[in-house]
Structure formats: structure tokens, C-alpha cells
Amino acid sequence: MNASEPLERPVAPFFILTLLAILVAAATSICVGKYRIFPGEILAMFRGSADVPAMTRKVFFTLRLPRTLMAMLAGVGLGFAGSVYQTIFKNPLASPDIIGVAGGANLGAAAAIVAMSALSVPAIAVGAFTGGFAAVAGVMLLVRATRSHSTSTYVLAGIVINALSRAMIMALKYFADPENELAVMEYWEMGTFGNITRAKLLAVLPMFAAGLAGLILLRRQIDLMGLSEDECRAMGVRLKPTRIAVLILSTLLVASIVSVTGLVAFAGLIAPHTARLMLRRNNSTTLCMSGATGAFIVLAADILARVLYSAELPISILTTVIGVPLLLYFMCIGRERLL
């Protein structure tokens, strides 16, 4: 190791501190909101006490607990996916929309709202999920048409798909009903956890778990893909099928989240950088820390979204406010410290 390179830090203390921060944020998230739940009431419910008001039980189990769990899952998934993208594309600015997942999901949701006149949340979720996978399929087709499988080709294909998605979204907005459909489209683009219920959480959980488990199983190959292509092949990694499998799993992970929450900006970009800054390494351990860091960031943003204003703020406003100062800091410390 070069003497100028930062030494790797011990992992356990940072994981413990991050997990404690997540627990505190989760407890706070359950308690705050228009209907206040006190910590004593939560403890009483877990003890089986009959003194807790029925409304408190309903709010806790039907709304507040699913919302908190979904915010944690969203942070884990976006942090995980962001770390994967930044590793395999060797690009510190890569995030879940680098291959068009976010743009495709946004287009799918907009199409469900306008073309199908579907203002129901399930229809929007199905449209978003379909759009995310369609975007990845478009990226794959573009890469195959160029007969090049370098990381830069995937990035450029993602930029093309994102640009195309944005153009189609603008067209849909032009034809949307400004009183109903346009407002829903705009709000969905900014993201929210306010409409999360237990049914929605359980609906996306299998897809989320499949994507996360697949990426964990491929963690060694993902680590090796951070090396040059020649080094990857020398280590026995089959680049083309492995990269496709990782992209599909990452898309499954991200699409399962944004299909019910809307777009959550910056979380998948800043969580991996924060994890690498803490651990000073870039491997499967950092992958897990990226997920944990993402969970805390999204939980904190969701709490602020409920307490800063009388009406609930969209989640992407808060994640952007949190993310921009961190990105400025990362710019100041330099690229070589990020990867």
C-alpha cells in the first residue's frame, strides 16, 4: 500500500454506530407525525397491555410501522444499488438512474396516470415497475446493437434512455389533466412515504428480497468488477453474463422501491460515498455499509419531511438538501478518496 493512501479503518465500530443511529431514527419515525405516538405506548403494545387506545394501535400497525420499515428498506436498497453501480461502472457519480431505471420508472408511472387514466396507487406502482424494467431492456438492446460491452457503453446507453424517458414524460405532461393527473405526476416524481401501508410493504417485499439476496450472493464478482476488464477475466469472471445479472438484480431492487414510493433523489448516490469515507475501503463490506447508511439517510429525511412544515414535504426535497452539502464535501476531498 502506498504511504499516501488512507489506512483502512476497523469495521465493527462504524457498523455498531450506524445501526444504533438507525434504531434511534426508526423509533423517532414511529413516534412523530400528525398523530403522536409516545414511546411508553409502544412498549405497552409489545407487552400486550390493553390500556393502549385503539386508534394508537391502528395508526402504529397500519401506517406508522409499515412506513418506517419501507423507509429503511428504501434506504438499504438505494444505497446497495448505488454502491453496485459505482463499482461496476467505475464512476463515482453513478446512481440507480445511471442505466435509466429511475427515468423508466418515472415514465411508466406517468403513462399509467395519463394513458390509462389510473390515479390509483396500485396502477401507478405497476406502471413504474414495468417502466424500470423496460428501461433496462432498452439499455441492453442498445449495448447489444453497438457490440460493445465496456462500462462506458452501458453508461452512454443509460444517458440515452434517460433522455428519451424525459422527452416522453414531457409529452405526457402536456396532454395530462392539469387539475388531477398533472399534480399526481409531479408529486410522484418528488417521492413520498405518506401512502405506504402494510399491504404495499408486503407486496414489494418478495421482489426486494430477491434483488438484495442476488446481489449479496454475487458480492465477490461485484468486487472484482471494480478492477479492469482484463484483470476480471484473469480472475475468472465472465464479464458479460455477470454484468447483465447484476444490472437485472439491481433494477429489481430499485424498481421494487420506487414503484410504491416514487423517486427518491440522491440517496443512492451519497450513501456509498459516505460508507467509503467512513471505512476507507471499497469491497463487499462497503456494500453493506452503503445499505445501512442509506437506511439512516432516508429515515432522517422522512422524519424531517413530517416535522419541518405543517403539510408533509416530498421526500426528494429533503434527500436533496441532505445530499448537496455532502456532494460538495466529496468534491473538495477529491475523486481519489472516493474510489
Side-chain angles (χ1 to χ4, degrees):
M1 178 180 290
N2 192 305
S4 62
E5 294 180 357
L7 294 174
E8 292 183 350
R9 289 172 172 167
V11 172
F14 286 97
F15 265 105
I16 292 172
L17 288 174
T18 304
L19 291 176
L20 288 174
I22 292 172
L23 289 175
V24 171
T28 305
S29 176
I30 289 174
C31 293
V32 301
K34 290 184 178 180
Y35 187 91
R36 182 76 181 272
I37 298 178
F38 295 95
E41 293 176 320
I42 299 174
L43 293 175
M45 279 188 285
F46 282 111
R47 288 199 304 264
S49 174
D51 297 331
V52 180
M55 180 58 72
T56 300
R57 291 180 182 274
K58 184 176 180 179
V59 171
F60 176 79
F61 287 108
T62 306
L63 299 175
R64 206 64 62 75
L65 183 60
R67 176 176 185 150
T68 300
L69 292 175
M70 189 68 233
M72 291 174 62
L73 293 182
V76 169
L78 294 173
F80 228 88
S83 182
V84 168
Y85 290 142
Q86 289 172 17
T87 299
I88 67 174
F89 291 124
K90 306 177 184 68
N91 187 334
L93 295 180
S95 61
D97 60 358
I98 190 66
I99 58 167
V101 179
N106 196 8
L107 176 60
I113 294 168
V114 177
M116 299 169 57
S117 297
L119 299 179
S120 65
V121 175
I124 297 173
V126 171
F129 194 86
T130 304
F133 267 95
V136 174
V139 170
M140 299 299 182
L141 288 174
L142 286 176
V143 171
R144 185 173 182 180
T146 61
R147 298 181 180 180
S148 171
H149 300 286
S150 66
T151 55
S152 59
T153 306
Y154 281 89
V155 173
L156 291 173
I159 292 173
V160 170
I161 294 297
N162 269 322
L164 183 61
S165 297
R166 291 301 305 171
M168 296 178 71
I169 289 168
M170 285 188 284
L172 289 172
K173 285 183 177 180
Y174 182 80
F175 292 104
D177 176 8
E179 293 185 1
N180 295 311
E181 297 170 345
L182 185 59
V184 174
M185 291 167 64
E186 293 288 355
Y187 196 70
W188 194 91
E189 282 189 69
M190 294 185 286
T192 180
F193 291 98
N195 57 10
I196 298 298
T197 61
R198 182 169 52 189
K200 293 175 187 175
L201 176 63
L202 294 176
V204 302
L205 193 57
M207 295 175 287
F208 177 91
L212 186 65
L215 291 177
I216 290 174
L217 290 174
L218 291 174
R219 64 188 183 278
R220 178 181 175 276
Q221 289 85 341
I222 293 171
D223 284 348
L224 294 176
M225 289 174 71
L227 305 173
S228 68
E229 294 190 2
D230 290 338
E231 289 175 313
C232 282
R233 293 189 180 94
M235 297 292 289
V237 178
R238 300 175 61 193
L239 275 178
K240 180 181 175 181
T242 303
R243 185 178 289 136
I244 291 174
V246 169
L247 290 178
I248 291 174
L249 290 168
S250 300
T251 301
L252 182 64
L253 191 61
V254 174
S256 66
I257 296 166
V258 301
S259 64
V260 293
T261 66
L263 302 183
V264 182
F266 277 99
L269 179 61
I270 60 179
H273 288 317
T274 306
R276 280 192 289 270
L277 190 65
M278 287 192 291
L279 301 183
R280 292 181 176 174
R281 68 185 75 198
N282 188 24
N283 52 25
S284 56
T285 303
T286 313
L287 198 65
C288 296
M289 177 59 84
S290 298
T293 305
F296 175 74
I297 291 171
V298 175
L299 274 171
D302 187 42
I303 293 168
L304 292 174
R306 283 178 273 168
V307 302
L308 288 181
Y309 191 60
S310 56
E312 184 173 319
L313 296 172
I315 191 68
S316 285
I317 294 177
L318 279 305
T319 52
T320 301
V321 169
I322 294 171
V324 168
L326 287 173
L327 282 178
L328 290 174
Y329 175 71
F330 295 143
M331 288 173 59
C332 293
I333 66 175
R335 175 190 170 96
E336 67 278 359
R337 294 276 300 278
L338 297 179
L339 292 175

